[in-house]
Amino acid sequence: MPDTDLLALQVDHVGILQQRYEQALSDHNFDSLLISSGAAPVRYADDQSWHFQGYGPFLHWTGLAGFEHAWLLIRKGRKPLLTLHQPVDFWHANLELEPEPWLDALELRYSESTTAPELDDCSRLAVIGDPALLDTLPGEHNPAELCAALDETRVHKTAYEIACLAHANERALAGHRAAREAFLAGASEFDINLAYQRATRQREADAPYPSIIGLNEHAGTLHYQYYDTAAPAHPRSLLIDAGVRYRGYCSDITRTTAGTGEGRFASLVLGLEKLQRRLCDMVAPGVEYVEIHRKTHLGIATLLSASGLVSDLSAEDMVSAGITRAFFPHGIGHFLGVQVHDVAGKPVPPPADAPFLRLMRTLEPGMVVTIEPGLYFIPSLLEPLLAGPLGQHIDRSLLGELQGCGGIRIEDNVVVTRNGNRNLTREAEI
Ligand code: GLY
Ligand code: MN
Ligand code: MN
């Protein structure tokens, strides 16, 4: 059982959500809200289902990622009603709830049926969740403006949520340490994944996202999704981007390790790490997140010059000519919470110079973001550059040497505090 402080914070969390939800409901002319946890669809022409992970608003309230066909009914001035599906079934087990204090703030019922609870006394009802499960229900389904307001209730994390995110970081770092040791001992991607799962006590399907574990060139595929069962003859680099889900909350951490004898790559990793720490230090209230993204490009340009990969161009020219985009094609990060790419990040679309940026907001206390600069050697992005007039500025032989290391990404999870920031990943690393 978690410590009593966390359990007390969870009771406060439920109270805060009751207030936030009641406000959102009344702002949008609703009195009651039914949230479906969801259910895993059966695969086409098969009798097997996809692995289930619950719907965001349901997780926001309950943290229960594995409960299918559960329902949460929110009504003004009344305890939330949580209905859990518990069939009599000799094929599958039913998940059990720990008797924790937050459950006293709710009314809890069990149902053998998958259908929603009685809604007779619900006026002005909204129902949210996977539309495939809502067909027969009354009320307004997934009203867009209410859904946007509910997403907004997830932007400023409660103290309970931050404690869960901190714990998810601690747990994931145990996995990252094990993964690094396995790599340095010569393990394959498959075996590094097993080491990560063993250390985190988490089966992969329950992780917030499929772990990205790339050796050598594979480190240059941003979301590399396979695991070679054999180790390469010359292990040159490991990029592992992997998290843990704790009570519904996700960590999202990336580390890159240079193999033995990879001096040039190791110094680039060190350079990117220094840049990444400076970018984390920028996290503070009032900062435009897109400005951290833009600073990243200037930092990458400086690193490209210092390493000799690009010469005779200023940092600003490298950015404006698109050279840094070829080495760092993704955004600097995103919101983090019960979803790894948490909601409400883009009240406005990203600008043309940052098309993949997932977060376009001014930072405020309580927000939790990732900071994840990368520097990759991706043939499909570099080849057009090398073939054009900018190719003369790029050291092809050095690039050729480094290409087999794939790339680097370093990613931490950072809370915006009242005066600056709290880096949940670094504090757990010590
Ligand atoms: N792990 C996916 C991401 O970093 O956004
Ligand atoms: Mn990641
Ligand atoms: Mn991320």
Side-chain angles (χ1 to χ4, degrees), residues 81-145:
L81 170 63
L82 175 60
T83 307
L84 296 179
H85 177 47
Q86 286 229 329
V88 177
D89 181 357
F90 53 84
W91 291 102
H92 303 103
N94 286 316
L95 276 170
E96 298 294 337
L97 283 186
E98 294 291 328
E100 293 179 342
W102 71 283
L103 291 170
D104 296 338
L106 281 78
E107 185 185 339
L108 180 60
R109 287 191 199 157
Y110 292 95
S111 167
E112 284 196 33
S113 130
T114 57
T115 52
E118 273 303 322
L119 299 166
D120 289 350
D121 63 344
C122 294
S123 59
R124 299 198 302 172
L125 171 71
V127 182
I128 62 171
D130 180 349
L133 301 172
L134 310 184
D135 261 0
T136 58
L137 294 174
E140 209 175 317
H141 294 185
N142 294 312
E145 287 179 9

Side-chain angles (χ1 to χ4, degrees), residues 209 212 223 241 252 254 334 340-341 358 370 372 409 411:
Y209 54 94
I212 299 160
H223 286 177
D241 181 342
D252 178 11
T254 311
H334 47 85
V340 63
H341 298 152
R358 291 188 166 101
T370 67
E372 49 182 303
R409 178 162 68 252
E411 176 175 22

Side-chain angles (χ1 to χ4, degrees), residues 280-304:
C280 288
D281 286 344
M282 285 180 70
V283 172
V287 171
E288 295 296 335
Y289 190 74
V290 67
E291 288 310 320
I292 303 181
H293 178 84
R294 293 193 170 120
K295 272 281 187 303
T296 311
H297 275 275
L298 286 170
I300 296 285
T302 306
L303 209 50
L304 291 172

Side-chain angles (χ1 to χ4, degrees), residues 366-427:
M367 292 177 170
V368 179
V369 300
T370 67
I371 297 291
E372 49 182 303
L375 198 171
Y376 312 88
F377 312 108
I378 302 173
S380 63
L381 299 181
L382 292 174
E383 274 153 20
L385 209 58
L386 290 166
L390 293 168
Q392 59 176 313
H393 296 284
I394 296 175
D395 183 330
R396 287 160 201 260
S397 115
L398 182 53
L399 187 60
E401 184 193 324
L402 289 167
Q403 211 136 24
C405 293
I408 311 167
R409 178 162 68 252
I410 299 172
E411 176 175 22
D412 289 350
N413 305 164
V414 184
V415 185
V416 187
T417 61
R418 267 193 306 154
N419 309 316
N421 67 73
R422 177 179 163 204
N423 187 322
L424 300 178
T425 316
R426 300 288 173 182
E427 74 181 22

